[in-house]
Amino acid sequence: MAAPLLSPSPTPSPSPSPSPSSPRGPAWRLRQLCQRYQDYVRRHPAATAQLEGTVRGLSYLLPGRFADAHELSELVYSASNLLVLLNDWILRKELQRSLPVSLPQQKLRTWLSVLECVEVFAEMGTARMWGEMGRWTIIVLIQLAKAILRLLLLLWYKAGIQTSPPIVPLNREQQQPLHPEDMEGNSSGKDQTYVGRRSSRVVRSLQNTPSLESRHWGSPQQREETQSRRAEEMNQPPTPLGLQETIAESIYVTRPLLHLLSLGVWGQRSWKPWLLSAVLDISSLSLLSDLKDLNRRERAELRRRTILLLYYLLRSPFYDRYSEGRILFLLRLLADYVPGVGFITRPLMDYLPAWQKIYFYNWG
């Protein structure tokens, strides 16, 4: 007797997997995650600043702990700077407090800030993977990109003296958290304070106490004056540069490229690149010293450049022939004879040789 034929049961069709563009796909989840992070930054600017400080502090604790700790430390430090740049963009967008420049200038400044954030890690990473040839290649490419961006800002957009950093970070402790309940109580300063009859001391009333993230020690009037003064300083236009000042700033912008070119011609042990770079820096500062009516940021930038001239004591070949022995002797003397200073000077003695070999640390 023949066995009955069994009809094959239909196999269930597999459920379609969500595509990246579907409402529940990976792209949607990524957008939701980004939106939640932006909401957190808007609501807690002071807590965000503490997070940035924690990440940056971690980078200081990593060097010397294990192999490749120096590269990892620089990666964490670069990530913390990029995090500050991202969070500032979120806060400026929410507060409608854009930079006092045009949109193309904002993009150029942002790219310039990103390059300054990652240049040291890029140098160390390429040296680790591709050796000295890769290291010098990435140095030349980064310095060329920075010079092009700065020359565009200087010559095309008339941005004046190039300041560092290109985008000033926001003061998170001065930013009000964007809660509706906090915005309702944002009345005049007189309604928020009580003045003692005998002491004339200004005290904030309890019902108008702000949230924890936005508290400060000063009175509401002091805070408003500080915020208005800082906003006025941020919105000051750059000082117009004449022909002499434009040449001086162009010398400062192109100095890294000329130094790299001289290194390729005369070598790293020659004095000529060191002398050429020093002459260019001093000439630029001398030509800019006649400029009057500078705003606060520009004056601070010129003071910073003047102080950075001391870096020539730590740059080869001057460091190799004159400074190294004297600096290490002074640090060792302080560590041996001054109580408590050794906790700072001994790690500095171990770190100084590695620091001196990184191009963007002392020449960037």
Side-chain angles (χ1 to χ4, degrees), residues 176-338:
Q176 289 283 354
L178 303 176
H179 292 296
E181 58 269 19
D182 291 335
M183 300 301 294
E184 292 175 358
N186 192 15
S187 56
S188 63
K190 293 182 180 180
D191 296 334
Q192 299 180 13
T193 58
Y194 168 78
V195 181
R197 296 180 179 178
R198 299 175 61 183
S199 64
S200 299
R201 176 174 295 181
V202 180
V203 181
R204 188 187 301 275
S205 59
L206 293 178
Q207 61 268 25
N208 288 313
T209 301
S211 59
L212 181 62
E213 292 82 2
S214 59
R215 291 183 188 177
H216 59 97
W217 293 105
S219 64
Q221 294 89 342
Q222 293 174 345
R223 177 168 187 160
E224 292 174 1
E225 292 174 359
T226 302
Q227 289 182 344
S228 62
R229 184 173 63 252
R230 290 183 177 178
E232 182 180 355
E233 292 172 356
M234 288 294 297
N235 293 326
Q236 285 181 342
T239 303
L241 302 182
L243 178 60
Q244 173 181 320
E245 290 80 14
T246 303
I247 294 175
E249 191 65 16
S250 301
I251 291 174
Y252 174 79
V253 169
T254 57
R255 190 269 305 167
L257 294 179
L258 297 175
H259 175 254
L260 287 172
L261 180 61
S262 63
L263 283 178
V265 173
W266 291 303
Q268 300 184 44
R269 296 187 178 183
S270 174
W271 281 92
K272 294 179 182 179
W274 187 89
L275 290 172
L276 175 64
S277 180
V279 169
L280 292 176
D281 274 337
I282 295 174
S283 301
S284 175
L285 284 172
S286 299
L287 293 174
L288 288 173
S289 62
D290 298 333
L291 194 61
K292 305 299 182 182
D293 299 329
L294 296 174
N295 59 44
R296 183 177 180 180
R297 283 198 66 196
E298 293 169 340
R299 292 195 300 269
E301 174 62 21
L302 293 183
R303 287 195 299 268
R304 187 188 72 89
R305 295 182 188 181
T306 304
I307 295 173
L308 287 182
L309 292 177
L310 295 174
Y311 269 45
Y312 282 96
L313 301 177
L314 302 175
R315 293 169 176 171
S316 299
F318 190 91
Y319 175 81
D320 300 330
R321 301 188 183 182
Y322 298 104
S323 302
E324 182 178 14
R326 292 174 173 83
I327 292 176
L328 293 178
F329 174 76
L330 177 61
L331 293 176
R332 191 177 298 109
L333 192 68
L334 292 174
D336 294 339
Y337 294 99
V338 179

Side-chain angles (χ1 to χ4, degrees), residues 82-110:
L82 292 175
L83 187 64
V84 171
L85 195 63
L86 172 63
N87 294 338
D88 282 353
W89 175 80
I90 295 173
L91 289 174
R92 283 192 176 98
K93 182 180 178 182
E94 179 67 21
L95 296 171
Q96 297 181 354
R97 189 179 300 175
S98 60
L99 298 174
V101 294
S102 62
L103 183 60
Q105 290 189 58
Q106 293 183 33
K107 293 181 179 180
L108 292 178
R109 290 173 184 266
T110 301

